[in-house]
Amino acid sequence: MALYEHVFLARQDMSAQQVDALVEQYKGVLEANGGKVGRVENWGLKSLTYRINKNRKAHYALMDIDAPAAAVHEMERQMRINEDVLRYMTIAVEKHEEGASAMMQKRDRDDRPRRDGDRPERSFGDRDRGPRPDRGPREGGFERRPREDRA
Protein backbone atom coordinates (compact mmCIF):
# COMPACT_ATOMS: atom_id res chain seq x y z
CA MET A 1 0.00 0.00 0.00
CA ALA A 2 1.09 3.55 -0.67
CA LEU A 3 1.57 6.36 1.83
CA TYR A 4 -0.24 9.68 1.38
CA GLU A 5 -0.71 12.99 3.12
CA HIS A 6 -4.18 14.42 2.57
CA VAL A 7 -5.31 17.96 3.44
CA PHE A 8 -8.82 19.25 2.96
CA LEU A 9 -10.57 22.56 3.59
CA ALA A 10 -14.08 22.62 5.01
CA ARG A 11 -16.55 25.53 4.98
CA GLN A 12 -16.14 28.29 7.56
CA ASP A 13 -19.66 28.03 8.98
CA MET A 14 -19.14 24.44 10.16
CA SER A 15 -18.31 23.73 13.79
CA ALA A 16 -15.19 21.88 14.89
CA GLN A 17 -17.34 18.85 15.79
CA GLN A 18 -18.78 18.77 12.27
CA VAL A 19 -15.26 18.87 10.81
CA ASP A 20 -14.28 15.98 13.09
CA ALA A 21 -17.35 14.10 11.85
CA LEU A 22 -16.19 14.67 8.25
CA VAL A 23 -12.76 13.29 9.15
CA GLU A 24 -14.40 10.22 10.71
CA GLN A 25 -16.61 9.76 7.64
CA TYR A 26 -13.63 9.76 5.27
CA LYS A 27 -11.62 7.60 7.65
CA GLY A 28 -14.45 5.06 7.43
CA VAL A 29 -14.37 5.20 3.62
CA LEU A 30 -10.65 4.49 3.62
CA GLU A 31 -10.89 1.65 6.15
CA ALA A 32 -13.79 0.07 4.24
CA ASN A 33 -11.58 -0.04 1.14
CA GLY A 34 -8.59 -1.60 2.89
CA GLY A 35 -6.69 1.47 4.10
CA LYS A 36 -5.57 2.89 7.42
CA VAL A 37 -5.44 6.44 8.71
CA GLY A 38 -2.58 7.36 11.00
CA ARG A 39 -2.15 10.85 12.35
CA VAL A 40 -5.08 13.26 12.04
CA GLU A 41 -4.54 16.95 12.73
CA ASN A 42 -7.19 19.63 12.83
CA TRP A 43 -5.42 22.92 12.09
CA GLY A 44 -8.50 24.97 12.89
CA LEU A 45 -10.16 27.90 11.18
CA LYS A 46 -7.68 29.87 9.05
CA SER A 47 -7.99 32.75 6.61
CA LEU A 48 -7.85 31.92 2.92
CA THR A 49 -5.64 33.82 0.50
CA TYR A 50 -8.59 34.29 -1.83
CA ARG A 51 -12.30 33.59 -1.53
CA ILE A 52 -13.52 30.11 -2.42
CA ASN A 53 -17.28 29.80 -2.98
CA LYS A 54 -17.85 33.04 -1.02
CA ASN A 55 -15.83 31.73 1.96
CA ARG A 56 -13.04 33.89 3.37
CA LYS A 57 -11.97 31.30 5.95
CA ALA A 58 -11.88 27.51 6.11
CA HIS A 59 -11.28 24.67 8.55
CA TYR A 60 -8.08 22.82 7.63
CA ALA A 61 -7.55 19.12 8.40
CA LEU A 62 -4.58 16.82 7.68
CA MET A 63 -4.64 13.02 7.50
CA ASP A 64 -1.73 10.61 7.11
CA ILE A 65 -3.04 7.75 4.98
CA ASP A 66 -1.72 4.24 4.31
CA ALA A 67 -4.11 2.90 1.68
CA PRO A 68 -4.36 1.52 -1.85
CA ALA A 69 -4.93 4.02 -4.64
CA ALA A 70 -8.51 2.83 -5.18
CA ALA A 71 -9.41 3.78 -1.59
CA VAL A 72 -7.95 7.25 -2.01
CA HIS A 73 -9.82 7.73 -5.30
CA GLU A 74 -13.09 6.75 -3.64
CA MET A 75 -12.49 9.20 -0.78
CA GLU A 76 -11.68 12.00 -3.27
CA ARG A 77 -14.80 11.15 -5.28
CA GLN A 78 -16.95 11.54 -2.19
CA MET A 79 -15.20 14.83 -1.34
CA ARG A 80 -16.05 16.20 -4.78
CA ILE A 81 -19.72 15.46 -4.12
CA ASN A 82 -19.77 16.95 -0.61
CA GLU A 83 -20.63 20.66 -0.54
CA ASP A 84 -18.92 21.13 2.84
CA VAL A 85 -15.48 20.39 1.36
CA LEU A 86 -14.08 23.42 -0.48
CA ARG A 87 -10.72 21.99 -1.62
CA TYR A 88 -8.59 18.91 -1.04
CA MET A 89 -5.11 17.76 -1.97
CA THR A 90 -3.53 14.33 -1.69
CA ILE A 91 0.22 13.88 -2.00
CA ALA A 92 2.11 10.57 -2.17
CA VAL A 93 5.03 10.49 0.27
CA GLU A 94 7.96 8.15 0.90
CA LYS A 95 7.30 8.04 4.66
CA HIS A 96 5.13 9.88 7.16
CA GLU A 97 6.66 12.59 9.34
CA GLU A 98 7.13 11.86 13.01
CA GLY A 99 5.63 14.26 15.51
CA ALA A 100 3.61 17.36 14.79
CA SER A 101 3.43 18.88 11.33
CA ALA A 102 4.94 22.27 10.55
CA MET A 103 1.53 23.93 10.92
CA MET A 104 1.10 22.62 14.47
CA GLN A 105 4.57 23.53 15.73
CA LYS A 106 4.37 26.65 17.85
CA ARG A 107 7.22 28.97 16.95
CA ASP A 108 7.82 31.95 19.15
CA ARG A 109 8.45 35.31 17.49
CA ASP A 110 11.74 35.67 19.34
CA ASP A 111 13.06 32.35 18.00
CA ARG A 112 12.82 33.43 14.38
CA PRO A 113 15.90 34.99 12.79
CA ARG A 114 15.60 38.66 11.94
CA ARG A 115 15.21 39.39 8.25
CA ASP A 116 17.43 42.45 8.41
CA GLY A 117 20.33 40.80 10.22
CA ASP A 118 21.79 42.96 12.96
CA ARG A 119 21.41 46.35 11.34
CA PRO A 120 20.97 49.44 13.48
CA GLU A 121 17.37 50.47 14.00
CA ARG A 122 17.57 53.77 12.07
CA SER A 123 19.28 52.64 8.86
CA PHE A 124 17.32 52.97 5.64
CA GLY A 125 18.20 50.78 2.69
CA ASP A 126 21.16 48.46 2.61
CA ARG A 127 23.92 51.04 3.19
CA ASP A 128 24.47 54.42 4.77
CA ARG A 129 25.26 56.91 2.01
CA GLY A 130 25.87 59.91 4.21
CA PRO A 131 24.84 63.44 3.28
CA ARG A 132 24.15 64.14 -0.39
CA PRO A 133 26.80 66.36 -2.00
CA ASP A 134 25.77 69.53 -3.83
CA ARG A 135 25.70 68.85 -7.57
CA GLY A 136 25.77 72.45 -8.76
CA PRO A 137 23.78 73.92 -11.65
CA ARG A 138 22.32 71.68 -14.35
CA GLU A 139 23.99 71.41 -17.69
CA GLY A 140 22.40 71.23 -21.11
CA GLY A 141 19.90 74.07 -20.87
CA PHE A 142 17.31 72.45 -18.64
CA GLU A 143 16.48 75.61 -16.73
CA ARG A 144 12.88 76.27 -16.04
CA ARG A 145 11.46 79.23 -17.95
CA PRO A 146 7.96 80.67 -17.73
CA ARG A 147 5.71 79.76 -20.60
CA GLU A 148 5.12 82.54 -23.10
CA ASP A 149 1.38 82.00 -23.35
CA ARG A 150 0.93 82.51 -19.57
CA ALA A 151 3.17 85.56 -19.18
Side-chain angles (χ1 to χ4, degrees), residues 1-7 30 34-41 43 62-68 72 75 89-102 105:
M1 288 192 283
L3 300 175
Y4 301 95
E5 283 186 0
H6 178 79
V7 178
L30 290 168
K36 293 182 290 190
V37 177
R39 172 181 62 169
V40 175
E41 289 183 357
W43 294 344
L62 167 79
M63 296 189 291
D64 284 347
I65 299 170
D66 182 11
V72 175
M75 179 189 66
M89 181 170 61
T90 308
I91 299 173
V93 294
E94 295 293 322
K95 65 176 194 154
H96 293 300
E97 292 181 9
E98 298 295 323
S101 66
Q105 293 173 356

Side-chain angles (χ1 to χ4, degrees), residues 60-129:
Y60 284 68
L62 167 79
M63 296 189 291
D64 284 347
I65 299 170
D66 182 11
V72 175
H73 287 302
E74 176 61 21
M75 179 189 66
E76 289 179 346
R77 186 188 71 79
Q78 290 190 17
M79 283 190 172
R80 278 193 297 274
I81 295 170
N82 194 339
E83 292 178 356
D84 293 332
V85 177
L86 300 174
R87 294 281 191 276
Y88 62 87
M89 181 170 61
T90 308
I91 299 173
V93 294
E94 295 293 322
K95 65 176 194 154
H96 293 300
E97 292 181 9
E98 298 295 323
S101 66
M103 291 293 288
M104 295 300 286
Q105 293 173 356
K106 177 76 171 143
R107 292 186 65 189
D108 194 16
R109 282 186 160 276
D110 299 333
D111 294 342
R112 286 187 267 174
R114 287 181 51 174
R115 294 175 72 189
D116 59 355
D118 289 325
R119 289 192 296 181
E121 291 295 320
R122 296 277 321 200
S123 71
F124 299 102
D126 59 346
R127 61 188 175 275
D128 186 20
R129 298 181 190 188

Side-chain angles (χ1 to χ4, degrees), residues 2-87:
L3 300 175
Y4 301 95
E5 283 186 0
H6 178 79
V7 178
F8 71 92
L9 281 64
R11 288 183 321 161
Q12 65 187 1
D13 57 348
M14 296 180 67
S15 67
Q17 291 80 17
Q18 289 173 317
V19 175
D20 291 339
L22 272 179
V23 169
E24 291 300 320
Q25 174 186 343
Y26 295 125
K27 190 188 288 190
V29 169
L30 290 168
E31 290 171 353
N33 288 302
K36 293 182 290 190
V37 177
R39 172 181 62 169
V40 175
E41 289 183 357
N42 189 347
W43 294 344
L45 187 66
K46 296 191 170 289
S47 295
L48 297 171
T49 304
Y50 55 91
R51 285 192 297 176
I52 302 173
N53 297 340
K54 299 182 181 178
N55 289 288
R56 293 186 182 274
K57 294 184 176 192
H59 290 275
Y60 284 68
L62 167 79
M63 296 189 291
D64 284 347
I65 299 170
D66 182 11
V72 175
H73 287 302
E74 176 61 21
M75 179 189 66
E76 289 179 346
R77 186 188 71 79
Q78 290 190 17
M79 283 190 172
R80 278 193 297 274
I81 295 170
N82 194 339
E83 292 178 356
D84 293 332
V85 177
L86 300 174
R87 294 281 191 276

